Structures are given as structure tokens and as C-alpha cells.
Amino acid sequence: PDGRRLAYVVKIGDRWGVVLDGVRQKPYDGIMTAVAGPPGTPRMIPGATPRHLFELVTFSPDSRRVAYRARVGTRLFVVVDGQEQPSYDVIGRLAFSPDGRRLAYAARRRGTWVVVVDGKEGHEDDALGTNAPTWSPDGQKMAYEARFGARWAVIVEGQEGKRYDAILDGTLTFSHDGRRFAYVAQEAGRSFVVIDGREEQRYDGILAGSLIFSLDGQHFAYAAGRGEARFVVVDGVEQKLHDAILEGSLTFGADGRRL
């Protein structure tokens, strides 16, 4: 990210390896992308957005650390700073924390999904949300959506929250200081925000991408709908009714007093 380091993948005989800052690293049978399934049948897996689908090498935000997925035979594993981690059947997006100190990724072994943080496995889950894992802006907390049977819950730093019918993908949001978090859950066809573990009013729908904390973390807002009406909810209080609210348009002022 700082533009001072360069990594790329090369073929060495019948093997593949990463060249990092001009130095060849250990070669493997393959250097892999975040794609599950045999060649010709790519599909999205947890954490693999279109941008990450074909990302081979991942640098930490400060460019000091580097990680990639390697394959030996049928074994897939992450190599981080030259050290090989445990093997899995599938490995998703590699996500360094914003401060670059920690690395997390989703992985599957024998049908069970886990999120691996600094080489240690967390909960065993039936499925994970497509954005797993998600770091807080300060890099101190990591969270993700997980399915247990037919129910979903949010896991924050290994602590499981209440289970719901669904957790809406892409709604898990941290405050800028990492102390607070919120997401959209669904129960019996109704949508509602869960903030710091507390359920808010239930609505017909919550606008995707609208959850936002003020910069100081003291205030929180989102857009919701009831029937044909659309409105913004600020700190639990419904505002004026509108015909529509543009996705991504909610913005707090720098002092957190204006929206």
C-alpha cells in the first residue's frame, strides 16, 4: 500500500512461488486465489469480493507484512511472513487488521467453517457471512456473521451474540474507536438494528449501507422503511418521512452534532 514493496507470482519449473522485493520465496504446487471449487467453476466464498477473487498476495496496510495462500497436493494453507499455517480445504480472503498486527481469514475443513485469527481457530460454524472477517477501525476487534443450523449470530472477539433468522450481509458496522458495533437482523420477516447487543424498533426494511456512527461514536443513524414511507432513525428516534432516501448518503458532521 505504501508503494515501496513489490510482490508477484512466477513459475519455477513445475512449481509456483512468490517473488517479494526481488527475492524468490519458497515454491509450492500453486499460489491460490480466494476461489472455491475446481477450475472452471469459481464461486464466491466468505470474504471474497470481486476485488479479492483473484488477489494472490496481500500486504498489511502498513506494507510491513505479507500473506498468500499456497497449495501442496490437495492441502491449502496460508503463508504469512514466510511461516506456513495449518491446512484447509478452502481459504477465503486474507484480512490484516488496520494496524497490520493481526491476520484473519475464513477457512473450511471437512464441511466446517472457522475464522482463523493469528493462526488460531475460533468457533466451528455451519456457514459464514460473505464479509467474514470484519475488523474494527482501530484493529482491536474482529467480528463476523455465522450460521448455526438455521439460525445466524454475530461473533465479536469470540463472543457469540443472540441468534436470529438472518443477519443481513454487509451491515456489520463498528464505530471509529472500535468500542461500539451494530448490524441488521431479521426475525419473522421484520428487520431491525442490533446496536451494542440491544435490539431497536422493528421495521419493514432497513436501507442497505445506511448504518453510520458519528466520528466520536456518541451518535448512530440509519435509514428504515414502514410501508411506502422512508425515514432516518437517529439514536433511536424516527425523523421526518420521505418518499426515498439515497443509499450511502447518510453523513455525520465532524463534531457529530449534524447529520
PDB file of all heavy atoms in Angstrom, residues 137 173-182 195 210-222 233-235 250-259:
ATOM      1  N   PRO A 137     -12.104  -0.368  13.048  1.00  0.00           N
ATOM      2  CA  PRO A 137     -11.115   0.574  12.514  1.00  0.00           C
ATOM      3  C   PRO A 137      -9.835   0.688  13.337  1.00  0.00           C
ATOM      4  O   PRO A 137      -8.771   0.981  12.782  1.00  0.00           O
ATOM      5  CB  PRO A 137     -11.879   1.907  12.512  1.00  0.00           C
ATOM      6  CG  PRO A 137     -13.303   1.507  12.342  1.00  0.00           C
ATOM      7  CD  PRO A 137     -13.441   0.249  13.160  1.00  0.00           C
ATOM      8  N   THR A 173     -21.177  -3.100  11.357  1.00  0.00           N
ATOM      9  CA  THR A 173     -20.512  -1.800  11.359  1.00  0.00           C
ATOM     10  C   THR A 173     -19.940  -1.496  12.740  1.00  0.00           C
ATOM     11  O   THR A 173     -20.626  -1.653  13.746  1.00  0.00           O
ATOM     12  CB  THR A 173     -21.507  -0.689  10.983  1.00  0.00           C
ATOM     13  OG1 THR A 173     -22.115  -0.997   9.721  1.00  0.00           O
ATOM     14  CG2 THR A 173     -20.818   0.656  10.901  1.00  0.00           C
ATOM     15  N   PHE A 174     -18.685  -1.048  12.782  1.00  0.00           N
ATOM     16  CA  PHE A 174     -18.051  -0.616  14.029  1.00  0.00           C
ATOM     17  C   PHE A 174     -18.000   0.910  14.086  1.00  0.00           C
ATOM     18  O   PHE A 174     -17.924   1.583  13.056  1.00  0.00           O
ATOM     19  CB  PHE A 174     -16.616  -1.143  14.116  1.00  0.00           C
ATOM     20  CG  PHE A 174     -16.492  -2.568  14.564  1.00  0.00           C
ATOM     21  CD1 PHE A 174     -16.299  -3.582  13.639  1.00  0.00           C
ATOM     22  CD2 PHE A 174     -16.545  -2.901  15.903  1.00  0.00           C
ATOM     23  CE1 PHE A 174     -16.167  -4.897  14.038  1.00  0.00           C
ATOM     24  CE2 PHE A 174     -16.422  -4.218  16.322  1.00  0.00           C
ATOM     25  CZ  PHE A 174     -16.228  -5.220  15.383  1.00  0.00           C
ATOM     26  N   SER A 175     -17.995   1.449  15.307  1.00  0.00           N
ATOM     27  CA  SER A 175     -17.699   2.871  15.467  1.00  0.00           C
ATOM     28  C   SER A 175     -16.216   3.086  15.187  1.00  0.00           C
ATOM     29  O   SER A 175     -15.422   2.142  15.166  1.00  0.00           O
ATOM     30  CB  SER A 175     -18.041   3.325  16.892  1.00  0.00           C
ATOM     31  OG  SER A 175     -17.276   2.615  17.847  1.00  0.00           O
ATOM     32  N   HIS A 176     -15.825   4.337  14.975  1.00  0.00           N
ATOM     33  CA  HIS A 176     -14.447   4.636  14.586  1.00  0.00           C
ATOM     34  C   HIS A 176     -13.437   4.244  15.664  1.00  0.00           C
ATOM     35  O   HIS A 176     -12.291   3.897  15.356  1.00  0.00           O
ATOM     36  CB  HIS A 176     -14.307   6.120  14.236  1.00  0.00           C
ATOM     37  CG  HIS A 176     -15.085   6.514  13.023  1.00  0.00           C
ATOM     38  ND1 HIS A 176     -14.580   6.410  11.748  1.00  0.00           N
ATOM     39  CD2 HIS A 176     -16.349   6.977  12.876  1.00  0.00           C
ATOM     40  CE1 HIS A 176     -15.494   6.813  10.876  1.00  0.00           C
ATOM     41  NE2 HIS A 176     -16.576   7.156  11.530  1.00  0.00           N
ATOM     42  N   ASP A 177     -13.846   4.302  16.936  1.00  0.00           N
ATOM     43  CA  ASP A 177     -12.929   3.914  18.010  1.00  0.00           C
ATOM     44  C   ASP A 177     -13.006   2.432  18.344  1.00  0.00           C
ATOM     45  O   ASP A 177     -12.299   1.946  19.234  1.00  0.00           O
ATOM     46  CB  ASP A 177     -13.180   4.746  19.270  1.00  0.00           C
ATOM     47  CG  ASP A 177     -14.601   4.587  19.827  1.00  0.00           C
ATOM     48  OD1 ASP A 177     -15.348   3.702  19.342  1.00  0.00           O
ATOM     49  OD2 ASP A 177     -14.966   5.344  20.743  1.00  0.00           O
ATOM     50  N   GLY A 178     -13.888   1.679  17.639  1.00  0.00           N
ATOM     51  CA  GLY A 178     -13.997   0.237  17.827  1.00  0.00           C
ATOM     52  C   GLY A 178     -14.759  -0.194  19.059  1.00  0.00           C
ATOM     53  O   GLY A 178     -14.915  -1.386  19.309  1.00  0.00           O
ATOM     54  N   ARG A 179     -15.278   0.754  19.828  1.00  0.00           N
ATOM     55  CA  ARG A 179     -15.949   0.401  21.080  1.00  0.00           C
ATOM     56  C   ARG A 179     -17.391  -0.047  20.873  1.00  0.00           C
ATOM     57  O   ARG A 179     -17.934  -0.780  21.699  1.00  0.00           O
ATOM     58  CB  ARG A 179     -15.912   1.592  22.039  1.00  0.00           C
ATOM     59  CG  ARG A 179     -14.518   1.969  22.496  1.00  0.00           C
ATOM     60  CD  ARG A 179     -14.560   3.138  23.460  1.00  0.00           C
ATOM     61  NE  ARG A 179     -13.218   3.498  23.928  1.00  0.00           N
ATOM     62  CZ  ARG A 179     -12.957   4.477  24.774  1.00  0.00           C
ATOM     63  NH1 ARG A 179     -13.972   5.190  25.278  1.00  0.00           N
ATOM     64  NH2 ARG A 179     -11.725   4.750  25.134  1.00  0.00           N
ATOM     65  N   ARG A 180     -18.031   0.398  19.791  1.00  0.00           N
ATOM     66  CA  ARG A 180     -19.429   0.079  19.557  1.00  0.00           C
ATOM     67  C   ARG A 180     -19.580  -0.640  18.219  1.00  0.00           C
ATOM     68  O   ARG A 180     -18.747  -0.487  17.322  1.00  0.00           O
ATOM     69  CB  ARG A 180     -20.274   1.351  19.570  1.00  0.00           C
ATOM     70  CG  ARG A 180     -20.067   2.216  20.798  1.00  0.00           C
ATOM     71  CD  ARG A 180     -21.003   3.415  20.777  1.00  0.00           C
ATOM     72  NE  ARG A 180     -22.398   2.999  20.960  1.00  0.00           N
ATOM     73  CZ  ARG A 180     -23.441   3.802  20.768  1.00  0.00           C
ATOM     74  NH1 ARG A 180     -23.259   5.046  20.349  1.00  0.00           N
ATOM     75  NH2 ARG A 180     -24.679   3.354  20.971  1.00  0.00           N
ATOM     76  N   PHE A 181     -20.657  -1.414  18.089  1.00  0.00           N
ATOM     77  CA  PHE A 181     -20.908  -2.099  16.829  1.00  0.00           C
ATOM     78  C   PHE A 181     -22.408  -2.272  16.624  1.00  0.00           C
ATOM     79  O   PHE A 181     -23.198  -2.250  17.582  1.00  0.00           O
ATOM     80  CB  PHE A 181     -20.204  -3.465  16.791  1.00  0.00           C
ATOM     81  CG  PHE A 181     -20.752  -4.477  17.751  1.00  0.00           C
ATOM     82  CD1 PHE A 181     -21.718  -5.394  17.353  1.00  0.00           C
ATOM     83  CD2 PHE A 181     -20.307  -4.518  19.073  1.00  0.00           C
ATOM     84  CE1 PHE A 181     -22.234  -6.336  18.233  1.00  0.00           C
ATOM     85  CE2 PHE A 181     -20.816  -5.456  19.971  1.00  0.00           C
ATOM     86  CZ  PHE A 181     -21.781  -6.368  19.549  1.00  0.00           C
ATOM     87  N   ALA A 182     -22.792  -2.427  15.370  1.00  0.00           N
ATOM     88  CA  ALA A 182     -24.207  -2.577  15.032  1.00  0.00           C
ATOM     89  C   ALA A 182     -24.340  -3.422  13.778  1.00  0.00           C
ATOM     90  O   ALA A 182     -23.401  -3.534  12.978  1.00  0.00           O
ATOM     91  CB  ALA A 182     -24.854  -1.203  14.829  1.00  0.00           C
ATOM     92  N   ILE A 195     -27.715  -2.835  18.134  1.00  0.00           N
ATOM     93  CA  ILE A 195     -26.581  -1.963  18.432  1.00  0.00           C
ATOM     94  C   ILE A 195     -26.067  -2.252  19.835  1.00  0.00           C
ATOM     95  O   ILE A 195     -26.824  -2.204  20.805  1.00  0.00           O
ATOM     96  CB  ILE A 195     -26.956  -0.471  18.256  1.00  0.00           C
ATOM     97  CG1 ILE A 195     -25.761   0.419  18.590  1.00  0.00           C
ATOM     98  CG2 ILE A 195     -28.189  -0.096  19.039  1.00  0.00           C
ATOM     99  CD1 ILE A 195     -25.949   1.869  18.182  1.00  0.00           C
ATOM    100  N   SER A 210     -26.718   1.911   5.109  1.00  0.00           N
ATOM    101  CA  SER A 210     -27.076   3.183   5.756  1.00  0.00           C
ATOM    102  C   SER A 210     -26.598   3.295   7.198  1.00  0.00           C
ATOM    103  O   SER A 210     -26.638   4.384   7.773  1.00  0.00           O
ATOM    104  CB  SER A 210     -28.594   3.393   5.703  1.00  0.00           C
ATOM    105  OG  SER A 210     -29.284   2.475   6.549  1.00  0.00           O
ATOM    106  N   LEU A 211     -26.154   2.214   7.820  1.00  0.00           N
ATOM    107  CA  LEU A 211     -25.744   2.269   9.221  1.00  0.00           C
ATOM    108  C   LEU A 211     -24.488   3.118   9.357  1.00  0.00           C
ATOM    109  O   LEU A 211     -23.485   2.886   8.673  1.00  0.00           O
ATOM    110  CB  LEU A 211     -25.476   0.866   9.773  1.00  0.00           C
ATOM    111  CG  LEU A 211     -26.691   0.060  10.264  1.00  0.00           C
ATOM    112  CD1 LEU A 211     -27.644  -0.240   9.110  1.00  0.00           C
ATOM    113  CD2 LEU A 211     -26.239  -1.238  10.910  1.00  0.00           C
ATOM    114  N   ILE A 212     -24.526   4.113  10.263  1.00  0.00           N
ATOM    115  CA  ILE A 212     -23.377   5.005  10.410  1.00  0.00           C
ATOM    116  C   ILE A 212     -23.268   5.523  11.839  1.00  0.00           C
ATOM    117  O   ILE A 212     -24.262   5.889  12.470  1.00  0.00           O
ATOM    118  CB  ILE A 212     -23.473   6.186   9.411  1.00  0.00           C
ATOM    119  CG1 ILE A 212     -22.232   7.073   9.500  1.00  0.00           C
ATOM    120  CG2 ILE A 212     -24.743   6.987   9.627  1.00  0.00           C
ATOM    121  CD1 ILE A 212     -22.187   8.135   8.418  1.00  0.00           C
ATOM    122  N   PHE A 213     -22.037   5.526  12.364  1.00  0.00           N
ATOM    123  CA  PHE A 213     -21.728   6.133  13.655  1.00  0.00           C
ATOM    124  C   PHE A 213     -21.122   7.517  13.413  1.00  0.00           C
ATOM    125  O   PHE A 213     -20.447   7.745  12.410  1.00  0.00           O
ATOM    126  CB  PHE A 213     -20.709   5.298  14.431  1.00  0.00           C
ATOM    127  CG  PHE A 213     -21.264   4.052  15.063  1.00  0.00           C
ATOM    128  CD1 PHE A 213     -21.156   2.827  14.419  1.00  0.00           C
ATOM    129  CD2 PHE A 213     -21.883   4.107  16.302  1.00  0.00           C
ATOM    130  CE1 PHE A 213     -21.658   1.671  15.001  1.00  0.00           C
ATOM    131  CE2 PHE A 213     -22.395   2.950  16.891  1.00  0.00           C
ATOM    132  CZ  PHE A 213     -22.279   1.733  16.243  1.00  0.00           C
ATOM    133  N   SER A 214     -21.343   8.431  14.332  1.00  0.00           N
ATOM    134  CA  SER A 214     -20.626   9.707  14.282  1.00  0.00           C
ATOM    135  C   SER A 214     -19.149   9.441  14.578  1.00  0.00           C
ATOM    136  O   SER A 214     -18.785   8.388  15.119  1.00  0.00           O
ATOM    137  CB  SER A 214     -21.204  10.684  15.306  1.00  0.00           C
ATOM    138  OG  SER A 214     -21.110  10.156  16.619  1.00  0.00           O
ATOM    139  N   LEU A 215     -18.292  10.396  14.224  1.00  0.00           N
ATOM    140  CA  LEU A 215     -16.855  10.196  14.395  1.00  0.00           C
ATOM    141  C   LEU A 215     -16.469   9.933  15.845  1.00  0.00           C
ATOM    142  O   LEU A 215     -15.531   9.175  16.118  1.00  0.00           O
ATOM    143  CB  LEU A 215     -16.090  11.411  13.856  1.00  0.00           C
ATOM    144  CG  LEU A 215     -16.087  11.573  12.337  1.00  0.00           C
ATOM    145  CD1 LEU A 215     -15.383  12.864  11.935  1.00  0.00           C
ATOM    146  CD2 LEU A 215     -15.404  10.380  11.667  1.00  0.00           C
ATOM    147  N   ASP A 216     -17.187  10.543  16.796  1.00  0.00           N
ATOM    148  CA  ASP A 216     -16.866  10.330  18.212  1.00  0.00           C
ATOM    149  C   ASP A 216     -17.565   9.107  18.795  1.00  0.00           C
ATOM    150  O   ASP A 216     -17.389   8.789  19.966  1.00  0.00           O
ATOM    151  CB  ASP A 216     -17.207  11.565  19.036  1.00  0.00           C
ATOM    152  CG  ASP A 216     -18.691  11.948  18.977  1.00  0.00           C
ATOM    153  OD1 ASP A 216     -19.495  11.169  18.404  1.00  0.00           O
ATOM    154  OD2 ASP A 216     -19.042  13.018  19.496  1.00  0.00           O
ATOM    155  N   GLY A 217     -18.379   8.413  17.971  1.00  0.00           N
ATOM    156  CA  GLY A 217     -19.055   7.201  18.423  1.00  0.00           C
ATOM    157  C   GLY A 217     -20.238   7.438  19.340  1.00  0.00           C
ATOM    158  O   GLY A 217     -20.853   6.481  19.819  1.00  0.00           O
ATOM    159  N   GLN A 218     -20.596   8.705  19.573  1.00  0.00           N
ATOM    160  CA  GLN A 218     -21.668   9.012  20.506  1.00  0.00           C
ATOM    161  C   GLN A 218     -23.056   8.916  19.883  1.00  0.00           C
ATOM    162  O   GLN A 218     -24.059   8.766  20.580  1.00  0.00           O
ATOM    163  CB  GLN A 218     -21.474  10.418  21.083  1.00  0.00           C
ATOM    164  CG  GLN A 218     -20.205  10.577  21.893  1.00  0.00           C
ATOM    165  CD  GLN A 218     -20.155   9.639  23.079  1.00  0.00           C
ATOM    166  OE1 GLN A 218     -21.080   9.615  23.885  1.00  0.00           O
ATOM    167  NE2 GLN A 218     -19.092   8.854  23.185  1.00  0.00           N
ATOM    168  N   HIS A 219     -23.131   9.021  18.548  1.00  0.00           N
ATOM    169  CA  HIS A 219     -24.428   9.011  17.873  1.00  0.00           C
ATOM    170  C   HIS A 219     -24.433   7.955  16.769  1.00  0.00           C
ATOM    171  O   HIS A 219     -23.386   7.599  16.217  1.00  0.00           O
ATOM    172  CB  HIS A 219     -24.732  10.389  17.294  1.00  0.00           C
ATOM    173  CG  HIS A 219     -24.716  11.478  18.313  1.00  0.00           C
ATOM    174  ND1 HIS A 219     -25.720  11.645  19.239  1.00  0.00           N
ATOM    175  CD2 HIS A 219     -23.786  12.440  18.576  1.00  0.00           C
ATOM    176  CE1 HIS A 219     -25.438  12.671  20.030  1.00  0.00           C
ATOM    177  NE2 HIS A 219     -24.269  13.167  19.649  1.00  0.00           N
ATOM    178  N   PHE A 220     -25.651   7.500  16.440  1.00  0.00           N
ATOM    179  CA  PHE A 220     -25.805   6.417  15.469  1.00  0.00           C
ATOM    180  C   PHE A 220     -27.070   6.654  14.665  1.00  0.00           C
ATOM    181  O   PHE A 220     -28.100   7.074  15.204  1.00  0.00           O
ATOM    182  CB  PHE A 220     -25.880   5.076  16.203  1.00  0.00           C
ATOM    183  CG  PHE A 220     -26.129   3.893  15.311  1.00  0.00           C
ATOM    184  CD1 PHE A 220     -25.142   3.432  14.460  1.00  0.00           C
ATOM    185  CD2 PHE A 220     -27.359   3.249  15.320  1.00  0.00           C
ATOM    186  CE1 PHE A 220     -25.369   2.342  13.623  1.00  0.00           C
ATOM    187  CE2 PHE A 220     -27.593   2.161  14.497  1.00  0.00           C
ATOM    188  CZ  PHE A 220     -26.594   1.711  13.646  1.00  0.00           C
ATOM    189  N   ALA A 221     -26.996   6.385  13.360  1.00  0.00           N
ATOM    190  CA  ALA A 221     -28.154   6.621  12.498  1.00  0.00           C
ATOM    191  C   ALA A 221     -28.242   5.573  11.411  1.00  0.00           C
ATOM    192  O   ALA A 221     -27.254   4.915  11.071  1.00  0.00           O
ATOM    193  CB  ALA A 221     -28.059   8.015  11.861  1.00  0.00           C
ATOM    194  N   TYR A 222     -29.448   5.435  10.856  1.00  0.00           N
ATOM    195  CA  TYR A 222     -29.685   4.546   9.725  1.00  0.00           C
ATOM    196  C   TYR A 222     -31.010   4.920   9.076  1.00  0.00           C
ATOM    197  O   TYR A 222     -31.806   5.694   9.643  1.00  0.00           O
ATOM    198  CB  TYR A 222     -29.691   3.078  10.160  1.00  0.00           C
ATOM    199  CG  TYR A 222     -30.706   2.729  11.223  1.00  0.00           C
ATOM    200  CD1 TYR A 222     -31.987   2.257  10.895  1.00  0.00           C
ATOM    201  CD2 TYR A 222     -30.380   2.841  12.567  1.00  0.00           C
ATOM    202  CE1 TYR A 222     -32.907   1.926  11.893  1.00  0.00           C
ATOM    203  CE2 TYR A 222     -31.293   2.514  13.562  1.00  0.00           C
ATOM    204  CZ  TYR A 222     -32.552   2.062  13.222  1.00  0.00           C
ATOM    205  OH  TYR A 222     -33.464   1.736  14.203  1.00  0.00           O
ATOM    206  N   VAL A 233     -33.479   7.163  11.241  1.00  0.00           N
ATOM    207  CA  VAL A 233     -33.574   6.968  12.690  1.00  0.00           C
ATOM    208  C   VAL A 233     -32.246   7.403  13.297  1.00  0.00           C
ATOM    209  O   VAL A 233     -31.184   6.896  12.918  1.00  0.00           O
ATOM    210  CB  VAL A 233     -33.867   5.494  13.038  1.00  0.00           C
ATOM    211  CG1 VAL A 233     -33.966   5.316  14.553  1.00  0.00           C
ATOM    212  CG2 VAL A 233     -35.142   5.024  12.351  1.00  0.00           C
ATOM    213  N   VAL A 234     -32.282   8.372  14.212  1.00  0.00           N
ATOM    214  CA  VAL A 234     -31.070   8.880  14.866  1.00  0.00           C
ATOM    215  C   VAL A 234     -31.170   8.612  16.359  1.00  0.00           C
ATOM    216  O   VAL A 234     -32.105   9.085  17.030  1.00  0.00           O
ATOM    217  CB  VAL A 234     -30.892  10.397  14.616  1.00  0.00           C
ATOM    218  CG1 VAL A 234     -29.602  10.882  15.277  1.00  0.00           C
ATOM    219  CG2 VAL A 234     -30.880  10.700  13.128  1.00  0.00           C
ATOM    220  N   ASP A 235     -30.238   7.835  16.864  1.00  0.00           N
ATOM    221  CA  ASP A 235     -30.225   7.484  18.292  1.00  0.00           C
ATOM    222  C   ASP A 235     -31.581   6.962  18.744  1.00  0.00           C
ATOM    223  O   ASP A 235     -32.089   7.316  19.824  1.00  0.00           O
ATOM    224  CB  ASP A 235     -29.793   8.682  19.135  1.00  0.00           C
ATOM    225  CG  ASP A 235     -28.374   9.127  18.832  1.00  0.00           C
ATOM    226  OD1 ASP A 235     -27.558   8.274  18.437  1.00  0.00           O
ATOM    227  OD2 ASP A 235     -28.076  10.334  18.958  1.00  0.00           O
ATOM    228  N   LEU A 250     -26.152   9.037   4.044  1.00  0.00           N
ATOM    229  CA  LEU A 250     -26.123   9.498   5.429  1.00  0.00           C
ATOM    230  C   LEU A 250     -24.693   9.870   5.830  1.00  0.00           C
ATOM    231  O   LEU A 250     -23.756   9.072   5.666  1.00  0.00           O
ATOM    232  CB  LEU A 250     -26.653   8.420   6.382  1.00  0.00           C
ATOM    233  CG  LEU A 250     -28.169   8.417   6.645  1.00  0.00           C
ATOM    234  CD1 LEU A 250     -28.919   8.047   5.367  1.00  0.00           C
ATOM    235  CD2 LEU A 250     -28.511   7.445   7.757  1.00  0.00           C
ATOM    236  N   THR A 251     -24.524  11.078   6.347  1.00  0.00           N
ATOM    237  CA  THR A 251     -23.199  11.569   6.723  1.00  0.00           C
ATOM    238  C   THR A 251     -23.301  12.425   7.976  1.00  0.00           C
ATOM    239  O   THR A 251     -24.110  13.362   8.035  1.00  0.00           O
ATOM    240  CB  THR A 251     -22.585  12.425   5.592  1.00  0.00           C
ATOM    241  OG1 THR A 251     -22.570  11.676   4.381  1.00  0.00           O
ATOM    242  CG2 THR A 251     -21.158  12.842   5.955  1.00  0.00           C
ATOM    243  N   PHE A 252     -22.495  12.142   8.982  1.00  0.00           N
ATOM    244  CA  PHE A 252     -22.427  12.968  10.170  1.00  0.00           C
ATOM    245  C   PHE A 252     -21.378  14.064   9.962  1.00  0.00           C
ATOM    246  O   PHE A 252     -20.357  13.858   9.298  1.00  0.00           O
ATOM    247  CB  PHE A 252     -22.007  12.131  11.384  1.00  0.00           C
ATOM    248  CG  PHE A 252     -23.150  11.467  12.111  1.00  0.00           C
ATOM    249  CD1 PHE A 252     -23.337  10.106  12.008  1.00  0.00           C
ATOM    250  CD2 PHE A 252     -24.013  12.217  12.893  1.00  0.00           C
ATOM    251  CE1 PHE A 252     -24.381   9.489  12.672  1.00  0.00           C
ATOM    252  CE2 PHE A 252     -25.058  11.601  13.570  1.00  0.00           C
ATOM    253  CZ  PHE A 252     -25.251  10.238  13.463  1.00  0.00           C
ATOM    254  N   GLY A 253     -21.620  15.231  10.564  1.00  0.00           N
ATOM    255  CA  GLY A 253     -20.600  16.267  10.584  1.00  0.00           C
ATOM    256  C   GLY A 253     -19.450  15.861  11.486  1.00  0.00           C
ATOM    257  O   GLY A 253     -19.558  14.930  12.289  1.00  0.00           O
ATOM    258  N   ALA A 254     -18.335  16.566  11.354  1.00  0.00           N
ATOM    259  CA  ALA A 254     -17.133  16.201  12.107  1.00  0.00           C
ATOM    260  C   ALA A 254     -17.342  16.223  13.612  1.00  0.00           C
ATOM    261  O   ALA A 254     -16.726  15.435  14.348  1.00  0.00           O
ATOM    262  CB  ALA A 254     -15.981  17.140  11.732  1.00  0.00           C
ATOM    263  N   ASP A 255     -18.227  17.104  14.091  1.00  0.00           N
ATOM    264  CA  ASP A 255     -18.466  17.179  15.543  1.00  0.00           C
ATOM    265  C   ASP A 255     -19.545  16.227  16.015  1.00  0.00           C
ATOM    266  O   ASP A 255     -19.834  16.140  17.209  1.00  0.00           O
ATOM    267  CB  ASP A 255     -18.824  18.607  15.956  1.00  0.00           C
ATOM    268  CG  ASP A 255     -20.102  19.131  15.301  1.00  0.00           C
ATOM    269  OD1 ASP A 255     -20.737  18.359  14.544  1.00  0.00           O
ATOM    270  OD2 ASP A 255     -20.455  20.291  15.544  1.00  0.00           O
ATOM    271  N   GLY A 256     -20.185  15.482  15.071  1.00  0.00           N
ATOM    272  CA  GLY A 256     -21.201  14.505  15.428  1.00  0.00           C
ATOM    273  C   GLY A 256     -22.553  15.104  15.764  1.00  0.00           C
ATOM    274  O   GLY A 256     -23.497  14.381  16.101  1.00  0.00           O
ATOM    275  N   ARG A 257     -22.704  16.426  15.664  1.00  0.00           N
ATOM    276  CA  ARG A 257     -23.948  17.087  16.046  1.00  0.00           C
ATOM    277  C   ARG A 257     -24.912  17.252  14.884  1.00  0.00           C
ATOM    278  O   ARG A 257     -26.084  17.534  15.094  1.00  0.00           O
ATOM    279  CB  ARG A 257     -23.639  18.450  16.652  1.00  0.00           C
ATOM    280  CG  ARG A 257     -22.822  18.370  17.945  1.00  0.00           C
ATOM    281  CD  ARG A 257     -22.518  19.758  18.475  1.00  0.00           C
ATOM    282  NE  ARG A 257     -21.712  19.695  19.693  1.00  0.00           N
ATOM    283  CZ  ARG A 257     -21.276  20.770  20.364  1.00  0.00           C
ATOM    284  NH1 ARG A 257     -21.604  21.991  19.919  1.00  0.00           N
ATOM    285  NH2 ARG A 257     -20.541  20.623  21.448  1.00  0.00           N
ATOM    286  N   ARG A 258     -24.408  17.136  13.666  1.00  0.00           N
ATOM    287  CA  ARG A 258     -25.265  17.332  12.493  1.00  0.00           C
ATOM    288  C   ARG A 258     -25.218  16.082  11.608  1.00  0.00           C
ATOM    289  O   ARG A 258     -24.201  15.392  11.547  1.00  0.00           O
ATOM    290  CB  ARG A 258     -24.814  18.562  11.691  1.00  0.00           C
ATOM    291  CG  ARG A 258     -24.767  19.831  12.518  1.00  0.00           C
ATOM    292  CD  ARG A 258     -24.381  21.024  11.685  1.00  0.00           C
ATOM    293  NE  ARG A 258     -25.440  21.374  10.727  1.00  0.00           N
ATOM    294  CZ  ARG A 258     -25.317  22.319   9.794  1.00  0.00           C
ATOM    295  NH1 ARG A 258     -24.170  22.977   9.670  1.00  0.00           N
ATOM    296  NH2 ARG A 258     -26.318  22.598   8.978  1.00  0.00           N
ATOM    297  N   LEU A 259     -26.333  15.826  10.927  1.00  0.00           N
ATOM    298  CA  LEU A 259     -26.449  14.659  10.059  1.00  0.00           C
ATOM    299  C   LEU A 259     -27.001  15.095   8.702  1.00  0.00           C
ATOM    300  O   LEU A 259     -28.002  15.834   8.670  1.00  0.00           O
ATOM    301  CB  LEU A 259     -27.360  13.599  10.677  1.00  0.00           C
ATOM    302  CG  LEU A 259     -27.671  12.383   9.813  1.00  0.00           C
ATOM    303  CD1 LEU A 259     -26.404  11.542   9.615  1.00  0.00           C
ATOM    304  CD2 LEU A 259     -28.786  11.553  10.418  1.00  0.00           C
TER     305      LEU A 259
END
